[in-house]
Amino acid sequence: MNNSARKVVVIGGGPAGLTAGLYVKRAGIDALLLERELPGGQAVFSPLIENFPGFPDGIEGAELMTRIKKQAERFGLEIRTFAAVVRIEGKDRMRKIVLEGDEVGAIAVIVATGRSPRKLGIPGEDEFKGRGISYCATCDAPLFSGKEVLVVGGGDAALEEALHLSRFVRRVILVHRRDELRASSYLEGKARAEPKIEFVLNTELREIKGDQTVRSVVLENNKTGEVSEIEVSGVFFYVGNAPNTDFLKGLADLDDAGYILTDSSLQSSVRGIFAAGDVRANSFKQVILACAEGALAANSAMRYLEEVGEKKAYGSPRA
Ligand code: NAP
């Protein structure tokens, strides 16, 4: 049992969490970042981030996150990996962050735990996970070189990943439940111009079949009711995400979908607990905004330290 107590604990090592940690440590304040897996967050799976200022040719998500992590570590941010938070206890000045097999004390907490891919709950989805089913084209596309794959979803992630897959596979069949895509017109334009991507609209994935690996999928046209089975070697899911906030249930106020509600300083309904990035209700779900929210939450946490009688926030920037 490690009963260490910190001034600021950041939970989550994506762009929001790493930026928050960078700001706090650069201001000379003791901070620890807890990450349930490895740092980087969902952004590491983005093959190319084209809208993060400073990179006119775009930058791979993994490369951008490596740089942000390195920058945070330059200011001495301590990152503890494979540290999954189970719950936060205590309503007074010192909170207890309970981990699996450990606990950490914290005066201010910044929650930047992001989101995880949503599942469809259809037959075959669990059975073939890792055996033809993937949630990450960036990681797995080369495994499907020269093959035919299905992408499910009509948002930015589905189109971005379909474009990435098209560099490796023979054909991408993109299935979307409506006749109109949700993705930006920029990404739609790029995907429509890619001859390897075929759009199958008004259609839902009903089942994934196979033996050792995925062999085929059952699709249903939700306008005509027509059911078809087509052969594919892989299925990539991009049907949205759910926030990682289970450990906050019953403590902080969440919206109906489970995202953390905050005020304009990014403080949650619990004083001293802040939220930043994709896990926050109404956040813009972009890396640039996650970084910005990380910076703002760090600044608010440092002000909170002053308010509760901790030493002046060591040159923390005033908004
Ligand atoms: P999203 O925008 O929520 O899109 C999810 C897609 O999955 C939608 O097309 C949705 O269909 C479909 N879907 C949801 N539930 C479904 C179900 N039960 N059955 C079938 N289809 C279902 O999620 P996302 O694409 O992961 O993007 C999340 C956020 O990150 C967005 O704000 C996005 O703009 C951002 N993002 C941005 C970039 C970029 O700027 N390059 C890249 C990736 C993500 P409907 O459209 O019918 O609801």
Side-chain angles (χ1 to χ4, degrees):
M1 178 76 73
N2 176 4
N3 268 315
S4 54
R6 317 301 284 254
K7 288 225 162 54
V8 178
V9 169
V10 180
I11 308 175
L18 287 170
T19 306
L22 186 161
Y23 266 69
V24 173
K25 283 299 294 184
R26 187 167 178 270
I29 296 176
D30 166 54
L32 169 71
L33 187 147
L34 302 171
E35 162 56 49
R36 71 174 174 177
E37 293 173 358
L38 293 169
Q42 297 270 302
V44 298
F45 303 126
S46 185
L48 186 65
I49 295 177
E50 289 184 291
N51 50 8
F52 196 95
F55 300 97
D57 300 320
I59 181 167
E60 277 183 28
E63 171 63 15
L64 178 62
M65 295 317 303
T66 299
R67 290 184 187 209
I68 296 175
K69 174 174 168 280
K70 202 170 161 190
Q71 197 172 351
E73 285 175 333
R74 183 162 81 82
F75 293 108
L77 179 65
E78 183 189 344
I79 299 173
R80 200 187 294 177
T81 53
F82 300 106
V85 174
V86 178
R87 64 183 179 279
I88 300 177
E89 294 177 356
K91 292 208 180 293
D92 52 4
R93 196 161 158 271
M94 180 63 73
R95 292 180 191 283
K96 187 163 76 177
I97 298 170
V98 180
L99 309 168
E100 286 166 357
D102 199 358
E103 59 188 48
V104 180
I107 297 172
V109 180
I110 298 173
V111 179
T113 44
R115 305 170 299 160
S116 296
R118 194 186 287 144
K119 292 169 116 188
L120 281 187
I122 54 167
E125 191 176 5
D126 288 332
E127 191 183 341
F128 293 107
K129 189 175 175 199
R131 296 194 290 131
I133 291 182
S134 171
Y135 298 84
C136 177
T138 314
C139 324
D140 298 334
L143 302 174
F144 297 89
S145 286
K147 297 183 174 163
E148 299 205 358
V149 298
L150 192 87
V151 167
V152 195
D156 284 333
L159 267 66
E160 198 172 72
E161 302 291 289
L163 279 161
H164 181 71
L165 279 162
S166 69
R167 290 165 45 198
F168 298 85
V169 304
R170 183 152 46 92
R171 186 164 74 124
V172 179
I173 301 156
L174 188 137
V175 170
H176 177 46
R177 64 182 174 182
R178 291 186 293 133
D179 61 359
E180 196 182 323
L181 297 171
R182 178 177 292 276
S184 69
S185 50
Y186 172 72
L187 278 173
E188 179 172 356
K190 275 180 87 171
R192 295 263 187 208
E194 170 50 62
K196 282 190 189 170
I197 302 176
E198 179 187 328
F199 290 85
V200 180
L201 303 177
N202 294 317
T203 297
E204 294 176 49
L205 175 60
R206 293 291 182 223
E207 186 176 353
I208 300 158
K209 293 182 175 178
D211 36 56
Q212 293 306 306
T213 59
V214 169
R215 296 272 173 236
S216 65
V217 287
V218 178
L219 304 176
E220 182 177 344
N221 183 305
N222 57 27
K223 286 272 186 261
T224 64
E226 186 188 337
V227 175
S228 57
E229 184 168 342
I230 55 169
E231 288 187 9
V232 291
S233 304
V235 181
F236 289 80
F237 282 93
Y238 297 102
V239 292
N241 300 276
N244 298 315
T245 50
D246 280 357
F247 66 96
L248 279 178
K249 281 180 182 151
L251 180 65
D253 288 349
L254 309 176
D255 72 7
D256 290 345
Y259 291 89
I260 304 169
L261 294 163
T262 64
D263 62 17
S264 59
S265 76
L266 306 193
Q267 184 164 241
S268 73
S269 60
V270 183
R271 198 160 171 252
I273 299 184
F274 302 83
D278 286 9
V279 76
R280 198 180 67 79
N282 303 318
S283 74
F284 192 39
K285 321 295 185 226
Q286 296 279 311
V287 179
I288 182 71
L289 264 295
C291 292
E293 290 191 11
L296 176 55
N299 197 37
S300 300
M302 291 189 281
R303 285 188 178 198
Y304 171 75
L305 291 179
E306 289 184 38
E307 283 167 22
V308 297
E310 286 300 313
K311 282 185 118 175
K312 179 164 169 19
Y314 322 92
S316 65
R318 286 279 179 189

